[in-house]
Amino acid sequence: MDVEALYDSIKREQVEVAIRDAIQQCRPDWDEGFIFWLLASVNMSLDAAVAKFGGRWYQSSGGVATGGKLCVYVANIVVYWAFNKVIYSQPCRFLVYFYRYIDDGTGGWSGEPVQFFRWFCKIYKILDRDYNLRLTFNVKYACNFLEFLDVNYRFVNTMLDTDIFYKETDAHRYLSFKSTHPHYTFKSVAYSSFLRLRRIIIDHNLLEFRLSEMSNFLSKSDYPTELLNSVRNDVICKTRDLSYRNKDTESKKFEVGWVVTFGPGYGEVKSLVKQLNNSLTASPLFPDTGTPALGVVAKRAPSLRDILFSQRDICLNTGRGSVTTRCTPLGTRRVGRPCESCDLMSEETRLTIGQQSMNCAGGDCKSFNLNYCAQCSICNKAYIGKTVQQLGRRISQHRGQIQTLSASTCINRDSIDDTNTLAAHAIEHNVRTKAGFNSLYKFFILKYEEKEKLTISEQFFINKFRTYRPYGLNTSNPISVNDCLILQS
């Protein structure tokens, strides 16, 4: 069920009546003076919806302007007020359930189709005549999918079954991976798209199909297969949780955060915040809740390195010479948490796989925008990869797959991709811990490249060292061989 042309159908005189009705039901303690001010503010906001065209100003002659600050809230209140008068307060014994989101509604009917049409014609006439709201509807049997918002749902043997609903006009276009956004933005786009499917779809087989379909949509926007597989494998292992985190029950360190950066003035701000908290605590106007009113939120100011690397277009060798080495030399005490990737650095200047060998580019765990190689110390099989983030963080992602795969009683070959191939190979050698992963592999930095050329170089090294399974550990080609040869030439 849908309200046709909702915002244009709302009458201004209905707005005040609906808001007063909502106040009477939800906020009966509000005094008339405040209600008068609130209604005046709403009318002023609605009157401010004007447009300029051809040098002249225009104001809407009816309805509520779409896109206004309060239009959604006003429309929701008016629709509830009208539906409450016609539907909610006059229950029908055949109406099993009825849910609404602003102007969209869905429900279940246990009677005969002719009974439904009689009931619908009755409420249609009342809503059209008394409230200027015209309804459209779509009826299907419970065993067939019916769309509501972005969900298709049906009942199979009294069990709920759900699927994603796309409009026919949906072009499935997403933020291009070639745009100059931070890397985490693209991962967030993929993660939110996959997680939306996880929350909506109940059936596991249908979920896998829709996730693969979404991967194809994102691939058309140049999202790399490695990123999509990583996010997809993470999401598909999550339980279907529709609950929301109750932030009201979480303890707060302070009420208001004062955001500053480390550097000059940081100490003075902390002292000032402490003095202000003492003054507010002593004030009778501020209740003693046990939580400080103000708190300092310190963030590191962007360095020149951060500014230059914001586009991930600059290659920077942070290592020493041509050795793939530790970011913290042995015998040096590191401030803060120790680096978990230092022990995986090869400390060698040359990589040899079979009959092929090459000099390393040199670098350490903090180097990024590079192609790297991970070589097994038992069988010498190798994996070629690329990363625009720090090498140490990329290694942590590989290592983190150990726990995921170790929890599985049986590893399906079809589920192994470039994200978890190192973890799967470690389990083949009966290595199931992160410490064992650290002792199994050695990493080499092969080449530094700009972001746009990393995939080409990755394919080149895969072909050079023949690291595609079963000779190596790579499971897929980033690009076709022909494209690689053309681009390299």
Side-chain angles (χ1 to χ4, degrees), residues 219-457:
S219 296
K220 294 179 181 179
S221 296
D222 300 309
Y223 282 72
T225 304
E226 182 179 2
L227 171 63
L228 297 178
N229 290 338
S230 174
V231 177
R232 181 180 181 275
N233 292 336
D234 182 32
V235 169
I236 203 170
C237 295
K238 292 182 178 295
T239 58
R240 185 170 178 264
D241 186 11
L242 304 181
S243 61
Y244 290 90
R245 187 178 64 182
N246 187 3
K247 297 183 179 180
D248 296 335
T249 60
E250 297 180 359
S251 58
K252 295 186 292 186
K253 296 181 180 179
F254 45 79
E255 297 291 341
V256 180
W258 190 323
V259 182
V260 296
T261 55
F262 291 109
Y266 172 69
E268 289 78 358
V269 171
K270 289 187 64 176
S271 300
L272 177 60
V273 168
K274 185 177 181 180
Q275 295 175 9
L276 290 174
N277 279 329
N278 293 335
S279 301
L280 292 173
T281 303
S283 172
L285 301 177
F286 187 78
D288 186 11
T289 60
T291 303
L294 299 175
V296 178
V297 180
K299 296 184 177 180
R300 180 177 62 86
S303 63
L304 180 60
R305 176 194 180 96
D306 297 329
I307 297 173
L308 292 176
F309 256 152
S310 62
Q311 306 299 329
R312 301 292 191 193
D313 286 335
I314 299 177
C315 303
L316 182 62
N317 184 337
T318 60
R320 294 171 287 278
S322 60
V323 179
T324 304
T325 185
R326 308 163 60 95
C327 65
T328 306
L330 288 173
T332 303
R333 182 177 179 182
R334 179 187 175 95
V335 178
R337 184 178 179 181
C339 177
E340 297 181 352
S341 301
C342 276
D343 292 337
L344 286 87
M345 299 297 103
S346 65
E347 299 290 346
E348 297 179 6
T349 61
R350 193 168 182 83
L351 168 66
T352 301
I353 303 176
Q355 298 180 354
Q356 297 290 334
S357 63
M358 65 170 290
N359 292 328
C360 298
D364 54 35
C365 317
K366 293 186 177 181
S367 303
F368 45 119
N369 270 29
L370 52 87
N371 295 110
Y372 63 91
C373 173
Q375 189 174 33
C376 176
S377 58
I378 297 178
C379 61
N380 290 329
K381 286 187 176 181
Y383 167 80
I384 302 295
K386 67 178 184 300
T387 180
V388 295
Q389 56 184 336
Q390 289 185 359
L391 178 59
R393 294 181 181 176
R394 185 70 187 99
I395 294 174
S396 298
Q397 295 171 0
H398 285 301
R399 183 170 46 228
Q401 295 293 325
I402 279 282
Q403 292 179 332
T404 303
L405 294 184
S406 297
S408 303
T409 56
C410 180
I411 300 177
N412 187 357
R413 283 288 180 184
D414 295 334
S415 64
I416 299 177
D417 54 30
D418 283 347
T419 303
N420 55 22
T421 182
L422 293 183
H425 182 69
I427 293 176
E428 291 176 1
H429 289 302
N430 201 26
V431 174
R432 296 179 176 270
T433 63
K434 292 184 177 181
F437 183 95
N438 291 346
S439 61
L440 181 63
Y441 291 108
K442 291 298 180 183
F443 281 76
F444 301 79
I445 296 178
L446 305 180
K447 187 178 182 181
Y448 292 89
E449 273 287 10
E450 297 177 6
K451 176 182 176 181
E452 302 295 335
K453 299 180 180 179
L454 278 174
T455 303
I456 302 172
S457 298

Side-chain angles (χ1 to χ4, degrees), residues 49-61:
V50 296
K52 187 178 182 181
F53 179 76
R56 301 182 63 180
W57 289 93
Y58 295 88
Q59 187 177 31
S60 60
S61 58

Side-chain angles (χ1 to χ4, degrees), residues 174-194 218 221-224 227-228 231 310-313 388 451-452:
Y174 298 88
L175 179 68
S176 175
F177 195 78
K178 294 182 179 179
S179 61
T180 55
H181 288 79
H183 183 72
Y184 61 82
T185 302
F186 306 112
K187 186 174 182 178
S188 298
V189 171
Y191 192 86
S192 60
S193 301
F194 287 134
L218 293 171
S221 296
D222 300 309
Y223 282 72
L227 171 63
L228 297 178
V231 177
S310 62
Q311 306 299 329
R312 301 292 191 193
D313 286 335
V388 295
K451 176 182 176 181
E452 302 295 335

